[in-house]
Amino acid sequence: QTDAHKKKSRPRGGCAKSRAAAPLTAEEPAKQPGAPSSATEQKKRGRRASASTAAAASPKRSKATDVRLEPPANWRATWELIVELRADRTAVVDSMGTEAIAGESTKEERDFDALVSLMLSSQTKDTVNAATMKKLRAHGLSPRRLLDTPDERLDELIYACGFHNNKVKYLKATSRILLEQHGGRVPDTMDGLLALPGVGPKMALILLRVAFGKVEGISVDTHVHRICNQLGWAGPGGTKTPEQTRRAIEAWMPADIWAEVNLVLVGLGQEVQTEKSKLLRKCLACSDPAAALRLASVCGVKVEPEAKKAGLVLPPGLAL
C-alpha cells in the first residue's frame, strides 16, 4: 500500500468518535450473526471509546448549567407557603437528621460525625440512623477507631441500616483515605468528598453546607425529587432521578434559597407520608388554607378522607 492509500483508509477508524454520536438509521445494515461487519464493529468500538472518554472527563456531579429552564409560574408563592407550613420544624428530619444529631466535640470530630451519618443515611430512616450514630459514638467514632474495628463488629453496630454490608466497606475505605491523604480530616471540597467511597452528590452538598458553610448546590433525595416533580418544578417532562432533578431545579431556582431546600422539602415529604393529619391541621391554620390543602393534595395526600379520619372540617366549596 502507498502512503496515499493508507491516508484514504484511515478516516473510517479515525472518525469512530464522531460516528458514535450519530444515531443508527434504517439505512445502516444490521449485524448478521456469525459474520460481523467491520463498520459495525468500528461503531461499537467508537461508542465504547466515547463513553469511556466521557466518563473519565465528567465528574460525579454534573453542572446545573447543562440544563436551561424557566422558573415555573407561581413557584415563589408555592415555596413561601411550604416554608410557612414547615416553620414549626416538627418533622422527623428536624430532630433526627444529620444536622440535628451532630455530637458535641471538636470541629474535626463533628465533621467526621456528619460524614458518617450521611453515609449511613442512604436507604435508612432518620430514626434508625440516629440510633446507629449513638451506638457508634459510644464505640468511638474517628477514622482510626473505625479502621481498627473488625468488620464483623462494625457490621453489628450498623446492622439496622440499609445495605449495612456495603457501608462497612465504605466506612473502612473512607477512613483509610482520610488518614492517608487528608491527615484524618474530612475534605472541604466537592471533588475531595466525591472521591470517598459511598459518598454521592447529595451527601457531599449537605456536608459542605453543614460542616464548612459552603452552599454549592441543592441536595436532592427521594423526597425532594418526588415533590419537585409533583409541583412541576423539574421541567415539562419531569425527571427520573434525583440527580436529574438537582440539575433541573438549580437551573432556575435562586441561589439564595438553595441552602433551605433540602431540609424544608424533606420535612414536608415526611409529613405527607407519615403525619398526614398533622399536616392538614397546619394547612387549615395557615395564611391560605385552600391553597395549602391543594398543595397537600398535589403532593399525594388524599385530603378529604384523611380530614374525615382526623375529624377535621374542610373549608366549604374547597376545590382540590
Side-chain angles (χ1 to χ4, degrees):
Q1 283 187 320
T2 65
D3 289 341
H5 181 71
K6 289 179 181 177
K7 289 179 181 178
K8 289 179 181 179
S9 302
R10 288 177 62 187
R12 292 184 65 186
C15 66
K17 183 175 180 181
S18 61
R19 288 176 60 84
L24 292 175
T25 63
E27 289 76 22
E28 292 174 331
K31 177 180 177 181
Q32 298 300 320
S37 161
S38 60
T40 302
E41 291 303 315
Q42 287 174 1
K43 286 174 200 160
K44 285 186 176 180
R45 285 195 296 270
R47 290 191 197 100
R48 285 194 294 266
S50 295
S52 177
T53 300
S58 302
K60 279 187 184 179
R61 175 175 175 258
S62 302
K63 299 294 184 182
T65 50
D66 294 343
V67 180
R68 293 287 186 272
L69 291 176
E70 292 297 319
N74 301 318
W75 78 269
R76 177 68 74 174
T78 301
W79 169 252
E80 291 176 352
L81 184 57
I82 294 173
V83 170
E84 180 183 353
L85 293 174
R86 286 281 291 119
D88 60 349
R89 291 293 190 268
T90 57
V92 174
V93 70
D94 298 311
S95 59
M96 299 284 185
T98 296
E99 295 178 62
I101 63 174
E104 295 295 330
S105 51
T106 67
K107 173 70 166 63
E108 291 180 12
E109 290 169 338
R110 288 197 302 273
D111 293 349
F112 186 67
D113 188 291
L115 173 62
V116 172
S117 176
L118 286 165
M119 292 176 70
L120 295 178
S121 69
S122 176
Q123 302 297 314
T124 302
K125 292 182 178 179
D126 286 336
T127 50
V128 173
N129 190 35
T132 301
M133 288 300 297
K134 187 175 181 180
K135 290 195 292 184
L136 284 173
R137 291 190 194 105
H139 171 75
L141 189 54
S142 70
R144 173 54 61 191
R145 181 66 167 139
L146 292 190
L147 197 58
D148 290 344
T149 302
D151 289 3
E152 296 78 8
R153 176 57 180 150
L154 187 54
D155 188 62
E156 289 175 3
L157 290 166
I158 69 169
Y159 184 80
C161 297
F163 301 101
H164 54 90
N165 291 328
N166 288 337
K167 289 175 182 178
V168 167
K169 299 174 185 176
Y170 295 152
L171 289 172
K172 286 294 193 76
T174 289
S175 296
R176 186 179 300 279
I177 291 172
L178 294 184
L179 289 168
E180 293 180 352
Q181 300 180 21
H182 300 281
R185 297 179 179 86
V186 175
D188 64 352
T189 65
M190 193 71 179
D191 289 342
L193 290 171
L194 292 179
L196 301 175
V199 176
K202 180 193 79 169
M203 301 176 197
L205 288 167
I206 291 179
L207 188 59
L208 285 175
R209 179 173 56 81
V210 171
F212 305 107
K214 297 180 178 181
V215 179
E216 296 192 7
I218 301 172
S219 179
V220 176
D221 74 340
T222 54
H223 289 295
V224 180
H225 169 60
R226 182 182 69 255
I227 290 172
C228 285
N229 275 278
Q230 290 168 330
L231 296 177
W233 288 0
T239 54
K240 294 183 178 180
T241 68
E243 178 61 10
Q244 290 174 353
T245 300
R246 180 190 66 76
R247 294 169 57 199
I249 61 177
E250 282 182 4
W252 62 266
M253 193 171 278
D256 61 353
I257 66 170
W258 284 10
E260 305 173 66
V261 173
N262 179 268
L263 187 63
V264 169
L265 294 188
V266 168
L268 176 64
Q270 290 177 338
E271 292 178 338
V272 164
Q273 290 187 335
T274 63
E275 297 184 283
K276 297 178 179 65
S277 61
K278 183 186 80 174
L279 177 59
L280 292 181
R281 287 187 178 89
K282 292 198 292 184
C283 289
L284 290 171
C286 79
S287 60
D288 192 342
L293 291 167
R294 285 193 291 270
L295 169 66
S297 178
V298 168
C299 290
V301 177
K302 296 179 179 179
V303 172
E304 292 179 349
E306 291 294 337
K308 184 176 181 181
K309 188 190 304 183
L312 301 175
V313 178
L314 298 177
L318 176 67
L320 297 173

